[in-house]
Amino acid sequence: MIEYIDTMDEFQIREDNPLNNNTTVISQEDLRRQEEISQYIKEFWQNQGVTPVAFVDTYGCQQNEADSERIRGILERCGYGLTDTAEGADLVVINTCAIREHAEQRVFGNVGALVHTKRRHPGQKIFVCGCMMGQSAVVEKMRKSYTHVDGIFSPHHLWELPEQLYRVLIRHRKSVFVDDSAGNIAEGLPVVRMNKLKAWVSVMYGCNNFCSYCIVPYVRGRERSRRPEDVLQECRELIAAGYKDITLLGQNVNSYGKDLGLGVDFADLLASIAELEGDFVLRFMTSHPKDASHKLFDTMAKYDKIAKQFHLPFQSGNDRILKAMNRHYDAAQYLALIDYGRALMPDLVFTSDVIVGFPGETAEEFEDTLRLVERVGFDALFTFIFSPRGGTPAAAMEDPTPRAEKNERFDRLVALQNRISEQKHRAYVGKTLRVLIDGVEDELLTARTDGGRLVRIRGDKALLGQFARVEITDATTWSLVGRVAEH
Ligand code: SAH
Ligand code: SF4
Ligand code: F3S
């Protein structure tokens, strides 16, 4: 029988097990302890003759999706089944995103609405986690105004979810596990993957860049890379289990390895995975232009298994704004990277992120963004209007441009990109491309090209999960239409 001592009122100070100066690797002993608590929770439910169900709701980026898969893994280990609605769930976990105000407002609204589901199912426990909980002001607001919430934890405390559940379920306490440490790495957490073909693999966590508008470094801590052998092992297991599409994740994925001091950079990691036996496509995101080395492009060109897709956010086409954003490159350097990549790989697909209406952006400076978009010709662009984030330098900058004008700029940019996307997609018509057939939607098969473009195909459902060569017969702004050429 395991003994549980209630010493959890204060945060425990853990002995560091340093991989480098910044990184705490959670010890096997600590992980085992969480596993034991999971077992205890499972027995707690079994003793009541109940199979509890949990609903995990995810906001934000792929990093959060990947974290939610670990949360589901931990919950399954604690005896929970999974459901896709908060209604009637014994446990609701809301994994939040803090990137823009709109994202936060949605979370506040949806967490607020859980008052009603809890009223209808009084045993329901509610946890809120993720990037919003990395901000002390948000945590305070949750604690004070959302009293139906039972547990709060920031991304650094995901691995301790069993302990937090124990506190809430068995000790009938509230649980708040938050701090502003630099972050940690917890290897070997259980995982329930949501897709049978495509898998996320986080290779590094956190960000050191402090772009002046961005909250991520504050809520996700410093950059810390997993050991190459741990990443390789996870990839080997995925390939053996039949996964066909692996995406390496990091906020700034191409600075992988800098903190390890092992002489292994992101291009080396990518190459070593691409060398693994098996039929799979390898992707990665998100890359920062300042760390996009020629070696990385050369590595992409060398291996067929590495998708010819590069998500390379440029944020603005104007050098003064780029400087104010603390991005460490200018428009000419960005364009030189695009040109280098295309010279090596003519079919390389570029996609990007851009912010409209950064504080002080003038009408002329915005024109530079339009010019860059026109010059590059991205296949797709993710466009955002600047949203001030408390505590970031940009939130304190003068921002005289009226919202209506920002909206107008945004609309012009979207219209330009839609025209380009459509042109780009039209240019695929008549080509034959390799795709992975990954789904069925409205009687049509869906597939992704190596470049990440969506293709809808009339075809046999038996092709699901296979690579096939597809002739593109038609195109829209958003997707392609094709027929199977051979497989
Ligand atoms: N680490 C990645 C992604 C960061 S978040 C990167 O550096 O590219 C995804 C996108 O959200 C960013 O690329 C940026 O375009 C946008 N973004 C981040 N903070 C923002 C803010 N405060 N307002 C508007 N858009 C923002
Ligand atoms: Fe944010 Fe910049 Fe880091 Fe991306 S690189 S997560 S935009 S600080
Ligand atoms: Fe949002 Fe956190 Fe991702 S702030 S964009 S979920 S890293």
Side-chain angles (χ1 to χ4, degrees), residues 175-215:
S175 169
V176 180
F177 276 41
V178 293
D179 64 33
D180 56 0
S181 71
N184 50 45
I185 292 183
E187 287 293 347
L189 293 178
V191 54
V192 173
R193 296 189 191 269
M194 299 310 279
N195 189 295
K196 296 277 167 276
L197 292 172
K198 302 180 187 187
W200 312 116
V201 176
S202 296
V203 302
M204 61 175 304
Y205 307 96
C207 182
N208 288 352
N209 287 329
F210 290 95
C211 300
S212 61
Y213 50 81
C214 185
I215 194 77

Side-chain angles (χ1 to χ4, degrees), residues 24-35:
T24 305
V25 177
I26 306 301
S27 72
Q28 286 304 310
E29 194 190 334
D30 280 338
L31 290 169
R32 252 195 313 276
R33 181 165 171 273
Q34 296 298 323
E35 205 175 327

